[in-house]
Amino acid sequence: MSGKKVSIVGSGNWGSAIAKIIGANVVNLKEFDNEVKMYVYEELVDGKKLTEIINTTHENVKYLPGHKLPENVVAVPDLVNAACDADFLVFVVPHQFVEGICKSLVGKIKSSAVGLSLIKGFEKKEGGGIELISSVIKRNLNIDVCVLMGANIASEVASGKFCETTIGCVDKKNAELLHKLIETDYFRVKVVQDVNTVELCGALKNIVAPAAGFIDGLGYGENTKAAIIRIGLMEMINFIDYFYPKSKVTTYFESCGIADLITTCYGGRNRRLAEQFVITGKSFDELEKELLNGQKLQGPITAEEVNYMLENKQLETKFPLFTAVNRISKKMIKPEELITFIKSHPAVQETPSEE
């Protein structure tokens, strides 16, 4: 009997990095089939199809150059062909494309398939709400969906530098299989059942990261950035407690929580482009085209999605950092005004009560 088949839906830098791990792991695991399909949006690189380059050189020369993929990772340009026979579907695409991808797969995948989302962001809902990406996948495909989030800069993971990650999964059997599928001696996995909090931390930290980048662009120091990280973490916790009140405080201390927040506020594209946003005066759309080599920026979009709900529920004043990042990103206010928002933040103004 052949093992369970794994397909990766997405092939950016993070998708390719996780493909490197999964491809290397499955050949040593009797539970899994040796071939790993990776859906690649077809494009030309120096006149050649990207899928052909990957399948002949075993390197994603556009999104993860300098890192060899295992030969059992097969690039597939057709989404349905890549996903139709998978027992585990690993979703790792920009979150704004998830709905369309899922609609293309409706009725064309195994009903028993299990999803693993590495996607950070939200989907807007009519009426002023937002929906978790795992819920978007579940709603469209009617499958169980777990999530993976952590302090995982793709290039460092691909280089084999030690790091941790968090998988949110309720089903114990799936949790055991996913742990085996993902963990290596340098990429350590902790599985928790608090799925929503794991996913929410991964999305919300991408709003805090631009704030850290704005601070860097304005020339403030590490003390100011530390304040941004602290206040940002408080807003993340308050947001999750308000809208998803069953979260566990211990989850914030996993890699998906404080570790991912720190990493993204010092490295990663959201911080870097926010710094350039201040220095150059260019829009995020312009900077994305100039600096990301075809990859997508998530922070400003996530800030807009979250503030779409906060505004509808008249909660913007309770989340001044999230609100400021959204307004700065849209050039409604100047980056310098972030400090004004921070100084008036309840987390800064609070004083100990007298007994």
Side-chain angles (χ1 to χ4, degrees):
M1 182 180 294
S2 62
K4 295 183 180 296
K5 296 181 181 296
V6 181
S7 293
I8 299 169
V9 180
S11 58
N13 65 340
W14 187 208
S16 297
I18 207 68
K20 182 178 179 181
I21 287 176
I22 292 173
N25 278 353
V26 293
V27 297
N28 297 312
L29 296 169
K30 65 181 185 301
E31 296 92 341
F32 294 94
D33 188 89
N34 281 1
E35 183 182 75
V36 176
K37 291 182 179 178
M38 180 173 70
Y39 166 62
V40 176
Y41 178 78
E42 194 68 278
E43 53 188 309
L44 296 179
V45 178
D46 296 330
K48 297 180 180 179
K49 292 181 178 180
L50 182 56
T51 53
E52 293 180 359
I53 295 173
I54 293 173
N55 289 333
T56 54
T57 68
H58 307 292
E59 180 181 351
N60 189 335
V61 295
K62 180 166 185 179
Y63 296 111
L64 195 68
H67 298 279
K68 289 291 184 180
L69 300 176
E71 293 186 9
N72 59 321
V73 174
V74 180
V76 180
D78 182 87
L79 173 62
V80 174
N81 185 24
C84 63
D85 62 351
D87 297 290
F88 283 91
L89 284 164
V90 180
F91 291 89
V92 54
V93 295
H95 77 272
Q96 54 266 46
F97 301 140
V98 173
E99 185 85 37
I101 282 175
C102 286
K103 289 186 183 303
S104 298
L105 294 176
V106 172
K108 297 174 182 176
I109 63 170
K110 289 183 177 181
S111 59
S112 59
V114 176
L116 178 66
S117 174
L118 281 61
I119 302 168
K120 300 174 179 180
F122 301 100
E123 181 81 12
K124 281 185 180 180
K125 293 172 63 177
E126 290 186 11
I130 55 177
E131 185 177 13
L132 295 174
I133 294 301
S134 62
S135 297
V136 175
I137 299 171
K138 289 178 187 176
R139 170 169 53 80
N140 280 282
L141 300 179
N142 194 30
I143 62 173
D144 184 31
V145 182
C146 309
V147 299
L148 182 152
M149 306 282 158
N152 307 140
I153 294 176
S155 60
E156 295 184 14
V157 173
S159 296
K161 296 178 180 178
F162 179 83
C163 64
E164 302 172 310
T165 200
T166 312
I167 291 178
C169 180
V170 175
D171 184 277
K172 290 184 179 180
K173 185 176 180 181
N174 289 336
E176 182 180 348
L177 287 170
L178 288 171
H179 190 279
K180 289 182 177 180
L181 181 65
I182 302 295
E183 184 166 80
T184 73
D185 60 350
Y186 66 87
F187 192 66
R188 305 312 298 271
V189 174
K190 174 72 176 291
V191 180
V192 300
Q193 293 189 325
D194 192 8
V195 181
N196 284 348
T197 306
V198 173
E199 183 171 4
L200 284 157
C201 284
L204 294 172
K205 60 92 181 179
N206 277 340
I207 306 178
V208 185
F214 296 148
I215 291 300
D216 288 338
L218 290 167
Y220 286 90
E222 303 305 327
N223 295 337
T224 311
K225 186 182 285 190
I228 290 291
I229 293 172
R230 183 187 76 85
I231 293 166
L233 179 61
M234 289 189 68
E235 288 203 7
M236 289 167 59
I237 294 172
N238 290 341
F239 183 93
I240 295 170
D241 282 348
Y242 189 93
F243 293 105
Y244 298 86
K246 294 183 180 180
S247 64
K248 295 180 180 179
V249 68
T250 52
T251 307
Y252 298 113
F253 295 95
E254 299 295 346
S255 183
C256 63
I258 185 65
D260 196 9
L261 176 61
I262 292 171
T263 295
T264 201
C265 285
Y266 279 91
R269 68 190 73 158
N270 288 293
R271 187 220 63 82
R272 178 165 61 94
L273 265 66
E275 181 180 29
Q276 291 302 310
F277 178 93
V278 175
I279 293 171
T280 67
K282 294 179 180 179
S283 70
F284 276 118
D285 286 341
E286 291 175 300
L287 292 168
E288 181 184 83
K289 291 175 183 177
E290 291 179 11
L291 301 177
L292 292 189
N293 192 33
Q295 296 191 93
K296 297 296 181 182
L297 192 66
Q298 300 300 313
I301 295 175
T302 304
E304 196 278 330
E305 291 160 349
V306 165
N307 278 271
Y308 167 75
M309 183 164 72
L310 295 179
E311 182 179 5
N312 180 265
K313 297 183 180 296
Q314 299 182 332
L315 291 171
E316 289 176 294
T317 57
K318 291 186 178 295
F319 299 92
L321 179 63
F322 289 176
T323 300
V325 170
N326 180 53
R327 292 180 181 177
I328 293 169
S329 299
K330 292 181 174 180
K331 295 198 171 185
M332 297 168 63
I333 62 174
K334 294 181 179 180
E336 290 82 358
E337 295 185 57
L338 176 62
I339 296 300
T340 301
F341 275 75
I342 296 307
K343 287 179 178 178
S344 62
H345 198 288
V348 175
Q349 293 295 315
E350 290 173 356
T351 56
S353 58
E354 294 184 6
E355 294 294 336

